[in-house]
Amino acid sequence: MYCRICGSDKVTYSLKSFRYNFDVYRCCNCGVMFRYPFPSSEDLQSFYTEGYYSGISFYSYVDERSIKGSHLVWDRRLKRLMEIYKKENNSYPRTILDVGCSFGGFLERAKLFGLEPYGIEISEYAYTYAVQRGLTVFKGDVSNVCLDQNKFDMITMIEVIEHLEDPRRVITKLYNSTTKGGLILIQTANMNGLQSKFWGNKYHYYLPGHLHYFTNKTLRRLLFDVGYKKVYEFYPVEFGLFPKLVKVFLNTNRIYRVLRLLKTAAYHILGKIRFGDLTIMSSMVMVGIK
């Protein structure tokens, strides 16, 4: 057993997932947490069938096609990324790669911003749908997909890095595929947040398909170690509260709508509270600049 981030074999037992009964260890050197043993490649592939998206599997994902107002989040995210890119390069990006693009909704919106969109998707079910929309999508695990060097101005990994067996290898690969001055956006849970610490092994992020767990400190260090020269950090997210509130309003039953709106607003406000690397809530987004 060793850490896939720093290579150290000095690890310690951390916890057992309350709901799914798997073990999680922590690297004594870099602090990254990881599931051990990893599921087999066959098991990992089996997670992302149609049942994963339809909600009939034991481990499921909310199908983006059924969520009203998602385009508001995607548009605000794209606008923010283009602002950052423009600030760093004094020009606008031309290409974007979405790793784990699912059905391609985010990439469809990217086209409206004048970007040439590309995606990577491991699920045969989601990949087929995205290709039928006319999108250029590479099928398979990002670790094994062949990517051109210095190809993409912007790369997004939204709730993806935690699914990877070897995050350092993948981030290095994506770094090499990014143009000079390009950026990568990574959204994942911050295990240094009081939210995750409070819930312990009952924290909702300990899921069968999640293999690595980062803190803001460990993710920031990884980005710098790979070669990114600057890192922007956002807590809880970079696209703001308004799109989230609209999504809740559009997708919540009238009986619970006010309560859900208040809960979402409270989470967002608390998510902005930070004392050094310690945060209240456990949501973060980091943007690395090459």
Side-chain angles (χ1 to χ4, degrees):
M1 185 194 312
Y2 70 97
C3 174
R4 300 290 181 94
I5 304 300
C6 70
S8 174
D9 60 359
K10 295 180 180 180
V11 301
T12 185
Y13 184 79
S14 183
L15 56 86
K16 182 182 289 290
S17 168
F18 175 79
R19 183 175 180 184
Y20 294 102
N21 201 39
F22 58 78
D23 294 321
V24 176
Y25 292 78
R26 183 188 301 273
C27 176
C28 298
N29 181 52
C30 72
V32 165
M33 298 168 65
F34 58 93
R35 177 179 174 178
Y36 188 84
F38 289 154
S40 67
S41 297
E42 292 75 18
D43 286 341
L44 286 174
Q45 185 68 44
S46 71
F47 287 156
Y48 309 113
T49 61
E50 182 176 352
Y52 175 70
Y53 299 95
S54 63
I56 63 174
S57 296
F58 78 101
Y59 167 48
S60 297
Y61 165 87
V62 179
D63 190 333
E64 68 181 44
R65 297 170 299 177
S66 65
I67 304 176
K68 301 174 183 177
S70 292
H71 67 283
L72 298 173
V73 170
W74 295 332
D75 287 357
R76 188 64 189 92
R77 168 160 275 162
L78 286 162
K79 182 180 179 182
R80 191 63 182 274
L81 286 177
M82 294 186 76
E83 289 171 350
I84 295 173
Y85 186 93
K86 178 68 162 53
K87 176 182 176 182
E88 294 293 331
N89 298 279
N90 199 32
S91 62
Y92 288 105
R94 295 172 297 173
T95 55
I96 185 170
L97 172 69
D98 187 24
V99 181
C101 66
S102 189
F103 301 105
F106 179 67
L107 292 177
E108 283 285 347
R109 302 303 298 186
K111 289 194 293 186
L112 301 179
F113 282 75
L115 294 166
E116 183 180 356
Y118 298 83
I120 299 176
E121 179 52 49
I122 192 173
S123 167
E124 177 77 34
Y125 176 65
Y127 162 82
T128 300
Y129 186 92
V131 169
Q132 289 173 348
R133 300 176 85 164
L135 295 169
T136 301
V137 180
F138 305 103
K139 181 184 177 298
D141 187 325
V142 60
S143 301
N144 303 319
V145 170
C146 183
L147 298 174
D148 292 338
Q149 302 286 297
N150 305 307
K151 169 74 173 179
F152 307 106
D153 296 325
M154 302 196 302
I155 297 178
T156 52
M157 296 181 67
I158 303 166
E159 307 286 352
V160 169
I161 194 170
E162 61 274 9
H163 292 260
L164 303 177
E165 291 188 53
D166 195 336
R168 187 184 188 94
R169 177 181 168 221
V170 169
I171 298 302
T172 300
K173 179 178 184 176
L174 295 176
Y175 175 86
N176 292 331
S177 295
T178 307
T179 56
K180 182 176 176 57
L183 61 82
I184 185 171
L185 175 145
I186 300 175
Q187 178 175 348
T188 190
N190 174 21
M191 307 310 287
N192 208 33
L194 294 181
Q195 177 190 13
S196 62
K197 293 177 182 295
F198 174 81
W199 287 107
N201 69 339
K202 295 181 181 179
Y203 183 49
H204 69 86
Y205 225 66
Y206 294 116
L207 296 170
H210 290 184
L211 310 183
H212 282 87
Y213 306 90
F214 292 84
T215 65
N216 45 14
K217 182 178 180 180
T218 56
L219 182 56
R220 182 191 312 124
R221 180 188 298 168
L222 173 60
L223 290 172
F224 280 127
D225 284 352
V226 165
Y228 291 96
K229 66 181 182 181
K230 183 186 295 187
V231 175
Y232 291 90
E233 301 180 36
F234 301 94
Y235 303 89
V237 289
E238 86 291 358
F239 52 78
L241 175 59
F242 179 73
K244 295 167 69 174
L245 291 178
V246 175
K247 278 182 63 178
V248 170
F249 181 86
L250 294 175
N251 294 280
T252 307
N253 185 289
R254 290 178 60 187
I255 299 175
Y256 305 104
R257 186 172 289 159
V258 173
L259 181 61
R260 285 291 306 277
L261 287 170
L262 290 173
K263 181 179 178 180
T264 300
Y267 186 99
H268 189 87
I269 293 169
L270 290 173
K272 289 186 170 297
I273 300 176
R274 176 185 176 192
F275 305 96
D277 285 334
L278 179 65
T279 60
I280 302 297
M281 309 310 288
S282 292
S283 178
M284 67 175 173
V285 173
M286 290 198 180
V287 177
I289 307 297
K290 181 174 178 179

